[in-house]
Amino acid sequence: MDTQTVIAAASIISAGLTIAIGSIGPALGEGRALAQALNAIAQQPDEANTITRTLFVGLAMVESTAIYCFVVSMILIFANPFWNFFLEAAATQ
Amino acid sequence: MDTQTVIAAASIISAGLTIAIGSIGPALGEGRALAQALNAIAQQPDEANTITRTLFVGLAMVESTAIYCFVVSMILIFANPFWNFFLEAAATQ
Amino acid sequence: MDTQTVIAAASIISAGLTIAIGSIGPALGEGRALAQALNAIAQQPDEANTITRTLFVGLAMVESTAIYCFVVSMILIFANPFWNFFLEAAATQ
Amino acid sequence: MDTQTVIAAASIISAGLTIAIGSIGPALGEGRALAQALNAIAQQPDEANTITRTLFVGLAMVESTAIYCFVVSMILIFANPFWNFFLEAAATQ
Amino acid sequence: MDTQTVIAAASIISAGLTIAIGSIGPALGEGRALAQALNAIAQQPDEANTITRTLFVGLAMVESTAIYCFVVSMILIFANPFWNFFLEAAATQ
Amino acid sequence: MDTQTVIAAASIISAGLTIAIGSIGPALGEGRALAQALNAIAQQPDEANTITRTLFVGLAMVESTAIYCFVVSMILIFANPFWNFFLEAAATQ
Amino acid sequence: MDTQTVIAAASIISAGLTIAIGSIGPALGEGRALAQALNAIAQQPDEANTITRTLFVGLAMVESTAIYCFVVSMILIFANPFWNFFLEAAATQ
Amino acid sequence: MDTQTVIAAASIISAGLTIAIGSIGPALGEGRALAQALNAIAQQPDEANTITRTLFVGLAMVESTAIYCFVVSMILIFANPFWNFFLEAAATQ
Amino acid sequence: MDTQTVIAAASIISAGLTIAIGSIGPALGEGRALAQALNAIAQQPDEANTITRTLFVGLAMVESTAIYCFVVSMILIFANPFWNFFLEAAATQ
Amino acid sequence: MDTQTVIAAASIISAGLTIAIGSIGPALGEGRALAQALNAIAQQPDEANTITRTLFVGLAMVESTAIYCFVVSMILIFANPFWNFFLEAAATQ
Amino acid sequence: MDTQTVIAAASIISAGLTIAIGSIGPALGEGRALAQALNAIAQQPDEANTITRTLFVGLAMVESTAIYCFVVSMILIFANPFWNFFLEAAATQ
Amino acid sequence: MDTQTVIAAASIISAGLTIAIGSIGPALGEGRALAQALNAIAQQPDEANTITRTLFVGLAMVESTAIYCFVVSMILIFANPFWNFFLEAAATQ
Amino acid sequence: MDTQTVIAAASIISAGLTIAIGSIGPALGEGRALAQALNAIAQQPDEANTITRTLFVGLAMVESTAIYCFVVSMILIFANPFWNFFLEAAATQ
Amino acid sequence: MDTQTVIAAASIISAGLTIAIGSIGPALGEGRALAQALNAIAQQPDEANTITRTLFVGLAMVESTAIYCFVVSMILIFANPFWNFFLEAAATQ
């Protein structure tokens, strides 16, 4: 296998696994927080506004770790500096 | 194996594993939130509207991590930039 | 092994594992939500309609992640773009 | 090993693992829902009809993920497009 | 190794693992449902008939996933289409 | 290694693992159901007959998955069609 | 390695692992049932006879899965049909 | 490596792993039953005799699975029929 | 493979796995803390300010471990000193 | 590697793993029983004698599985029949 | 591969895995402590100061283990003594 | 690699893993028993003497499994009979 | 690869994994103790001093196991006796 | 690789893994005991002295298993008898 093939294959596999593994934690964490939020609303309907607001701010923080994974995955597919380097190297060769 | 075969095989395996692994977390998280929502409705039937609304907004956020995986999986199958590159390279050769 | 064999074998294995692994999460999540729904009906029989309706809308969202896996699995078997490419390549050769 | 052997072996192993792994989740999920249904009937015997009806509709949805795996497993054994292709290729050779 | 040996070895290993892995989920799920059924009978002896009937209908659905695995395992041993193909191929050779 | 050795080794290993892995689920499931049955008898001694009868009918269903594994294991050792085929092939050679 | 060595090594390793893995489930299941039986006797000393009798009948069923593994393990060591075949084959050679 | 070395190495590794893996289940199961027995004695000191007797009969059944493993391990070390066969084969050679 | 290819492939795979594995812990930890926070607000609505403030300061500390992983991942992609070294070495060659 | 080296290396690794893996179960089981015993003494100080006596008899049975592993480990190191055989074989050569 | 490539690749992979694996424990531990802190504040609002102070001192200790991993990861990337040695060795060669 | 190197490497790795794996069970078991002992003292301060005495006798039994591992580890490093044999063999050669 | 490369690569990988794996246990253990400490303060605010003092002394003992790992990791990077030996050996060569 | 390199690499990897794996159990066990101790102090402040004394004696026993691992790790690095042997062998060669 030549250089470009190795880099492309590594990028494809790595991009897929990154977002796949990286979605397990946030999804479970958000599911847990969401479940507790609905429980809290049922216990204190009068505080639904405070609970919902805190929930979504918190979910945004949990989601951020999934975003990190998605960003890295996108970088590996569409803006991979190593891939660009080898393309330029091959072009100037 | 030539270059195209490696890229195609890596894309096929990576696309399948991405959505397969990536569906475990969201499905479990949504199931947990949904279970708690039904419990909350049973405890506070009068707040069913607030609970249901919060549930579906929250589920959308959890689902988003599954969407990320599905998007990456689709990109790897139908809009794979590495595959396109090697196709063009082979065409211009 | 020639190119077509590699792609076919990778597609077969990947299609099977995708739906197999991808069915674990949704099945467990739906089972949990369903179990809680039955519990909620037993606690609040008067709200059975609201609970059942919320349950099935929620189950549809959980099921969606299994659908993603099934769609990817079917694409890999019946509409695999990489396979089609190599078939055309072999036909025009 | 020639092409047909590889495809056949991959199909056999993949078909077996697909239904084997794919039966873990639905069986556990259905068992949990069934257990809770019996508990709910014991708590609210008067709602046995509603509970049983919701249970079987829900079990059908959980079972659907096992059906997906069974369908893919059957396709891989009896209607495998890759296998059919190589058989035709060998016949026309 | 020649073709028949590979197919036979793959079928043997796959058949064994299919039913072995496939029996874990149903056995645990049925055990859980059965345990809860006995608990429910102890709580509501008057509903023993309803509980027992629902139990066995539900157990049949859980058992169905084990049946799928057993069917696939038997097909791989006694009605394996790939094996039959290679036997005919060897016979007509 | 010649053909017969491969088939024999695969059958031996597969037969052992099939019953070994296949006994984990039923044993745990039966243990759980049995434990709950004893608990139920202690709570409702008057229903001991109903509980015990339901228990043994249920245990038979759980045991059935272990029986499947045992049957497959015995088939692989004593009535292995692949092994018989190669023996006949070697005898007629 | 010649044929007899492969068969003997596979039998030795398989026999050991079969009973080793196969003893995990029954031992845990029996331990759980036994623990609950002692608890039930402490709660209902008057029903000690019924509980003890049900316990030992149930333990026998759980133990049966361990017996299956032990039988397969013994067959593989002392009555291995594959081993006997190769011994006869070597003797008549 | 010659035949005797392979058989000896397989026997050594298999004997060790058999008793090592096989001691996990019984030890945990016995520990659980013992813990519950002490709890039961503390709740019903008057039934200490019945509890202790049932405990030791039950422990003997759980221990039996460990004994199976120990027996297989000893057979593999001191009465290994495969090893004896090769020793005789080497002696008569 | 030449030096640059190895370094690039190692960087791509390592960057992806770092943020993927590194997002599991923080996401689960934040989800747990967020869930408890909503529960605490429902119990003590008057202390919502204190709880929310402590929550976000604490979430920042948990998030810091995800940030570490993201920083290392970014360094490996965009500021990798080993990659820069080999580029300079290749440029001055 | 010659015969003696293989046997010695297998014995060393197997002896270490046997006692290492074999100490997990008994240690956890004894810890659980011991914890419950202390709890039982705190609940029923008057039965401390009965509890302590039952505890130590039971611990001896749990310890027995660790003893089995230790015995096998010692046999593999100091009284290994396979090792002795090869030593004699080498001496008489 | 030459020496520098091996060291660089090992450093890259090791640095990534160190902080990735090392962030799981601290993140889960901090999340647990933070969750309990919010619970404690809700139970004893008057002690919010003491609880918050103890929380942050304790979080600092838990965070320290993540810091260790981050420090080792940074050393492996930016101050790797082995890498520096080989650079000097290559420079003086 | 010559004989001595293999034996030494196997002894080093085996000695380390033996005590490492072997310390997990006893440490967790002792921690559990110790935790329960402190709880028991808090419930029955008057029985602190009995509890503490039973605790330390029991801890000694749990510790014994760790001691077994430590002894085997020390034997493998400092009194390894296989190593001594090869040293003597090399000396008398 | 020459000697120095092997030692350096082994040291780098080992140093990273040592602190990474070694931080999981202490972080989880400290998080658990810290969580319980905050709970205890909320229950007994008057004993906050005793609880906090015991907490930090105990955390120091738990932290000690992380320190051991950090020390070994640092030794492997900066004071590795094997590395120093080979450096001297290379220098005097 | 020559003999010294193998021994050194095995010692480095083994020393790191020994203390890393060996710190998981003690850290979790100590954390659990410490958490319960703080809980016990909050329940029985008057017994704080007895509880604290029993805690630290017990922690010392749990810590001992970590000490064993640390001692073995140090021996493998600084007083490795196998390493010393090969050094002497090389010196006298």
Side-chain angles (χ1 to χ4, degrees):
Chain A
M1 297 189 291
D2 64 337
T3 293
Q4 293 178 343
T5 313
V6 172
I7 300 299
S11 300
I12 289 170
I13 292 173
S14 188
L17 283 183
T18 300
I19 186 63
I21 297 175
S23 75
I24 294 175
L28 291 178
E30 293 180 14
R32 182 173 191 167
L34 181 55
Q36 195 65 39
L38 300 170
N39 197 28
I41 290 174
Q43 284 181 342
Q44 281 281 4
D46 301 337
E47 293 296 318
N49 281 337
T50 312
I51 291 168
T52 312
R53 197 181 57 232
T54 310
L55 172 68
F56 287 115
V57 177
L59 282 187
M61 277 196 86
V62 181
E63 187 80 9
S64 71
T65 60
I67 301 288
Y68 295 162
C69 293
F70 191 58
V71 164
V72 170
S73 186
M74 287 296 103
I75 287 172
L76 290 181
I77 296 180
F78 292 114
N80 195 325
F82 304 104
W83 173 253
N84 294 337
F85 171 79
F86 286 112
L87 286 193
E88 289 172 17
T92 61
Q93 214 171 17
Chain B
M1 298 189 291
D2 64 337
T3 293
Q4 293 178 343
T5 313
V6 172
I7 301 299
S11 300
I12 289 170
I13 292 172
S14 188
L17 283 183
T18 299
I19 186 63
I21 297 175
S23 75
I24 295 174
L28 291 177
E30 293 179 15
R32 182 173 191 167
L34 181 55
Q36 195 64 41
L38 300 169
N39 197 28
I41 290 174
Q43 285 182 341
Q44 281 280 4
D46 300 337
E47 293 296 317
N49 281 338
T50 311
I51 291 169
T52 312
R53 197 181 57 232
T54 309
L55 172 68
F56 287 115
V57 176
L59 282 187
M61 277 196 86
V62 181
E63 187 80 8
S64 71
T65 60
I67 301 288
Y68 295 162
C69 293
F70 191 59
V71 164
V72 171
S73 186
M74 287 294 104
I75 287 172
L76 290 180
I77 295 180
F78 292 115
N80 195 325
F82 303 104
W83 173 253
N84 294 337
F85 171 79
F86 286 112
L87 286 194
E88 290 172 16
T92 61
Q93 214 171 17
Chain C
M1 297 189 291
D2 63 337
T3 293
Q4 293 178 344
T5 313
V6 173
I7 301 299
S11 300
I12 289 171
I13 292 172
S14 187
L17 284 183
T18 300
I19 186 63
I21 298 175
S23 76
I24 295 175
L28 291 178
E30 293 180 15
R32 182 173 191 168
L34 182 54
Q36 195 64 41
L38 300 169
N39 196 28
I41 290 174
Q43 285 181 342
Q44 281 281 5
D46 300 337
E47 293 296 318
N49 281 338
T50 311
I51 291 169
T52 312
R53 198 182 56 232
T54 309
L55 172 69
F56 287 116
V57 176
L59 282 186
M61 276 196 86
V62 181
E63 187 80 9
S64 71
T65 60
I67 301 288
Y68 295 162
C69 293
F70 191 58
V71 164
V72 170
S73 185
M74 288 294 104
I75 287 173
L76 290 181
I77 295 180
F78 291 114
N80 195 323
F82 303 105
W83 173 253
N84 294 337
F85 170 79
F86 286 111
L87 286 194
E88 290 173 16
T92 61
Q93 215 172 17
Chain D
M1 297 189 291
D2 64 337
T3 293
Q4 293 178 343
T5 313
V6 172
I7 300 298
S11 299
I12 289 170
I13 292 172
S14 188
L17 284 183
T18 299
I19 186 63
I21 298 175
S23 76
I24 295 174
L28 291 177
E30 293 180 15
R32 182 172 192 170
L34 181 55
Q36 195 64 41
L38 300 170
N39 197 28
I41 290 174
Q43 285 181 341
Q44 282 280 4
D46 300 337
E47 293 296 318
N49 281 338
T50 311
I51 291 168
T52 312
R53 198 182 56 231
T54 309
L55 172 69
F56 286 116
V57 177
L59 282 187
M61 276 196 86
V62 181
E63 187 80 8
S64 71
T65 60
I67 301 288
Y68 295 163
C69 294
F70 191 59
V71 165
V72 170
S73 185
M74 288 294 104
I75 287 173
L76 290 180
I77 296 180
F78 292 115
N80 195 324
F82 303 105
W83 173 253
N84 294 337
F85 170 79
F86 286 111
L87 286 194
E88 290 172 16
T92 62
Q93 215 172 18
Chain E
M1 296 189 291
D2 63 337
T3 293
Q4 293 179 343
T5 314
V6 172
I7 299 300
S11 300
I12 290 170
I13 293 172
S14 188
L17 283 183
T18 299
I19 186 63
I21 298 176
S23 75
I24 295 174
L28 291 178
E30 293 180 15
R32 182 172 191 170
L34 181 55
Q36 195 64 42
L38 300 170
N39 196 29
I41 290 174
Q43 285 181 342
Q44 281 281 5
D46 300 338
E47 294 296 317
N49 280 337
T50 312
I51 291 168
T52 312
R53 199 182 55 233
T54 309
L55 172 69
F56 287 116
V57 176
L59 282 187
M61 276 196 86
V62 181
E63 187 81 9
S64 71
T65 61
I67 301 287
Y68 296 162
C69 294
F70 190 59
V71 165
V72 170
S73 185
M74 287 294 104
I75 287 172
L76 290 180
I77 296 181
F78 292 114
N80 195 324
F82 304 104
W83 172 253
N84 293 337
F85 170 78
F86 286 112
L87 286 194
E88 290 171 16
T92 62
Q93 215 172 17
Chain F
M1 296 189 292
D2 63 337
T3 293
Q4 293 179 343
T5 314
V6 172
I7 300 300
S11 300
I12 290 170
I13 293 172
S14 187
L17 284 183
T18 299
I19 186 63
I21 297 175
S23 75
I24 295 175
L28 291 177
E30 293 180 14
R32 182 172 190 169
L34 181 55
Q36 195 64 41
L38 300 169
N39 196 28
I41 290 174
Q43 285 181 342
Q44 282 280 5
D46 300 338
E47 293 295 317
N49 280 337
T50 312
I51 291 168
T52 312
R53 198 182 56 231
T54 309
L55 172 68
F56 287 116
V57 177
L59 282 187
M61 277 196 86
V62 182
E63 187 81 8
S64 71
T65 61
I67 302 287
Y68 296 162
C69 294
F70 190 59
V71 164
V72 170
S73 185
M74 286 294 104
I75 287 173
L76 290 180
I77 296 180
F78 292 114
N80 195 325
F82 304 105
W83 172 253
N84 293 337
F85 170 79
F86 286 112
L87 286 193
E88 290 172 16
T92 62
Q93 215 171 18
Chain G
M1 295 189 293
D2 63 337
T3 294
Q4 293 179 343
T5 315
V6 173
I7 300 299
S11 300
I12 289 170
I13 292 172
S14 187
L17 283 183
T18 299
I19 186 63
I21 298 175
S23 75
I24 296 175
L28 291 177
E30 292 180 15
R32 183 173 189 169
L34 181 55
Q36 195 64 42
L38 300 169
N39 196 27
I41 291 174
Q43 285 180 342
Q44 282 280 6
D46 300 337
E47 293 296 317
N49 280 338
T50 312
I51 291 168
T52 312
R53 197 182 57 230
T54 309
L55 172 68
F56 286 115
V57 177
L59 282 187
M61 276 195 88
V62 181
E63 187 81 8
S64 71
T65 61
I67 301 287
Y68 296 162
C69 293
F70 191 59
V71 164
V72 171
S73 187
M74 287 295 103
I75 287 172
L76 290 180
I77 296 180
F78 292 114
N80 195 325
F82 304 105
W83 172 253
N84 293 337
F85 171 79
F86 286 112
L87 285 193
E88 290 172 16
T92 63
Q93 215 171 18
Chain H
M1 296 188 293
D2 64 337
T3 293
Q4 293 179 343
T5 314
V6 173
I7 300 299
S11 300
I12 289 170
I13 293 172
S14 187
L17 284 183
T18 299
I19 186 63
I21 297 175
S23 74
I24 295 175
L28 291 177
E30 292 180 14
R32 183 173 191 169
L34 181 55
Q36 195 65 40
L38 300 169
N39 196 27
I41 291 174
Q43 285 180 342
Q44 281 281 6
D46 299 338
E47 294 296 317
N49 280 337
T50 312
I51 291 168
T52 312
R53 197 182 57 230
T54 310
L55 172 69
F56 287 116
V57 176
L59 282 186
M61 276 195 87
V62 181
E63 188 80 7
S64 72
T65 61
I67 301 288
Y68 296 162
C69 293
F70 190 59
V71 164
V72 171
S73 187
M74 287 295 103
I75 287 172
L76 290 180
I77 296 180
F78 292 114
N80 195 325
F82 305 104
W83 172 253
N84 293 337
F85 171 79
F86 287 112
L87 286 194
E88 290 172 15
T92 62
Q93 215 172 18
Chain I
M1 297 189 291
D2 63 337
T3 293
Q4 293 178 344
T5 313
V6 173
I7 300 299
S11 300
I12 289 171
I13 292 173
S14 188
L17 283 183
T18 300
I19 186 63
I21 297 175
S23 75
I24 294 175
L28 290 177
E30 293 180 15
R32 182 173 192 167
L34 181 54
Q36 195 65 41
L38 300 169
N39 196 28
I41 290 174
Q43 284 181 343
Q44 281 281 4
D46 300 338
E47 294 296 318
N49 280 337
T50 312
I51 292 168
T52 313
R53 197 182 56 232
T54 310
L55 172 69
F56 287 115
V57 177
L59 282 186
M61 276 196 86
V62 181
E63 187 81 7
S64 71
T65 60
I67 301 288
Y68 295 162
C69 293
F70 191 59
V71 164
V72 170
S73 186
M74 287 296 104
I75 287 172
L76 290 181
I77 296 181
F78 292 115
N80 195 325
F82 304 104
W83 173 253
N84 294 337
F85 170 79
F86 286 111
L87 286 194
E88 289 173 17
T92 61
Q93 214 171 16
Chain J
M1 296 188 293
D2 63 338
T3 293
Q4 293 178 343
T5 314
V6 173
I7 300 299
S11 300
I12 289 169
I13 292 172
S14 186
L17 284 183
T18 299
I19 186 63
I21 297 175
S23 74
I24 296 175
L28 291 177
E30 292 180 15
R32 183 173 191 169
L34 181 55
Q36 195 64 40
L38 301 169
N39 196 28
I41 291 174
Q43 285 180 342
Q44 281 281 7
D46 299 338
E47 294 296 316
N49 280 338
T50 311
I51 291 169
T52 312
R53 197 182 57 231
T54 310
L55 172 69
F56 286 117
V57 176
L59 281 186
M61 277 195 87
V62 181
E63 187 80 7
S64 72
T65 61
I67 301 288
Y68 295 162
C69 294
F70 191 58
V71 163
V72 171
S73 186
M74 286 296 103
I75 287 173
L76 290 180
I77 296 180
F78 291 115
N80 195 326
F82 305 104
W83 172 253
N84 294 337
F85 171 79
F86 287 112
L87 286 193
E88 290 173 15
T92 62
Q93 214 172 18
Chain K
M1 297 189 291
D2 64 337
T3 293
Q4 293 178 344
T5 314
V6 173
I7 300 299
S11 300
I12 290 170
I13 292 173
S14 187
L17 283 183
T18 300
I19 186 63
I21 297 175
S23 75
I24 294 175
L28 291 178
E30 293 180 14
R32 181 172 192 168
L34 181 54
Q36 195 65 41
L38 300 170
N39 196 28
I41 291 174
Q43 284 182 342
Q44 281 281 6
D46 300 338
E47 294 295 317
N49 281 337
T50 313
I51 291 168
T52 313
R53 197 182 57 232
T54 310
L55 173 69
F56 287 116
V57 177
L59 282 186
M61 276 196 87
V62 181
E63 187 81 7
S64 72
T65 60
I67 301 287
Y68 295 162
C69 293
F70 191 59
V71 164
V72 170
S73 186
M74 286 296 104
I75 287 172
L76 290 181
I77 296 180
F78 291 115
N80 195 325
F82 303 104
W83 173 253
N84 294 337
F85 170 79
F86 286 111
L87 286 193
E88 289 173 17
T92 61
Q93 214 172 17
Chain L
M1 296 190 292
D2 63 337
T3 293
Q4 293 179 343
T5 314
V6 173
I7 300 299
S11 300
I12 290 170
I13 293 172
S14 187
L17 283 184
T18 299
I19 186 63
I21 297 176
S23 74
I24 295 175
L28 291 178
E30 292 179 15
R32 182 172 191 169
L34 181 54
Q36 195 65 40
L38 300 169
N39 196 28
I41 290 174
Q43 284 181 342
Q44 281 281 6
D46 299 338
E47 294 295 317
N49 280 338
T50 312
I51 292 168
T52 312
R53 196 182 58 231
T54 309
L55 172 69
F56 286 116
V57 176
L59 282 186
M61 276 196 87
V62 182
E63 187 81 7
S64 72
T65 61
I67 301 288
Y68 295 162
C69 294
F70 191 58
V71 164
V72 170
S73 186
M74 287 296 104
I75 286 172
L76 290 180
I77 296 181
F78 291 115
N80 195 325
F82 305 104
W83 172 254
N84 294 337
F85 170 79
F86 287 112
L87 286 193
E88 289 172 18
T92 62
Q93 213 171 18
Chain M
M1 296 189 292
D2 63 337
T3 293
Q4 293 178 344
T5 314
V6 173
I7 300 299
S11 300
I12 290 170
I13 292 173
S14 187
L17 283 183
T18 300
I19 187 63
I21 297 175
S23 75
I24 294 175
L28 291 178
E30 293 180 15
R32 181 172 192 168
L34 181 55
Q36 195 64 42
L38 300 169
N39 196 28
I41 291 174
Q43 284 182 342
Q44 281 281 8
D46 300 338
E47 294 295 317
N49 280 337
T50 313
I51 291 168
T52 312
R53 197 182 57 231
T54 310
L55 173 69
F56 287 116
V57 177
L59 281 186
M61 277 196 86
V62 181
E63 187 81 7
S64 72
T65 61
I67 301 288
Y68 295 162
C69 293
F70 191 58
V71 165
V72 170
S73 186
M74 287 295 104
I75 286 172
L76 289 181
I77 296 180
F78 291 115
N80 195 326
F82 304 104
W83 173 253
N84 294 337
F85 170 80
F86 286 111
L87 285 194
E88 289 173 17
T92 62
Q93 213 171 17
Chain N
M1 296 190 291
D2 63 337
T3 293
Q4 292 179 344
T5 314
V6 173
I7 300 299
S11 300
I12 290 170
I13 292 172
S14 187
L17 283 183
T18 300
I19 186 64
I21 297 175
S23 75
I24 295 175
L28 291 178
E30 293 180 15
R32 182 172 191 168
L34 181 55
Q36 195 64 41
L38 300 169
N39 196 28
I41 291 174
Q43 284 181 342
Q44 281 280 8
D46 299 338
E47 294 295 317
N49 280 337
T50 312
I51 292 168
T52 312
R53 196 183 57 231
T54 309
L55 173 69
F56 287 117
V57 176
L59 282 186
M61 276 196 87
V62 181
E63 187 81 8
S64 72
T65 61
I67 301 288
Y68 295 161
C69 294
F70 191 58
V71 164
V72 170
S73 185
M74 287 296 104
I75 286 172
L76 289 181
I77 297 181
F78 291 115
N80 195 325
F82 304 104
W83 172 253
N84 294 337
F85 170 80
F86 286 111
L87 286 193
E88 289 172 16
T92 62
Q93 212 171 19

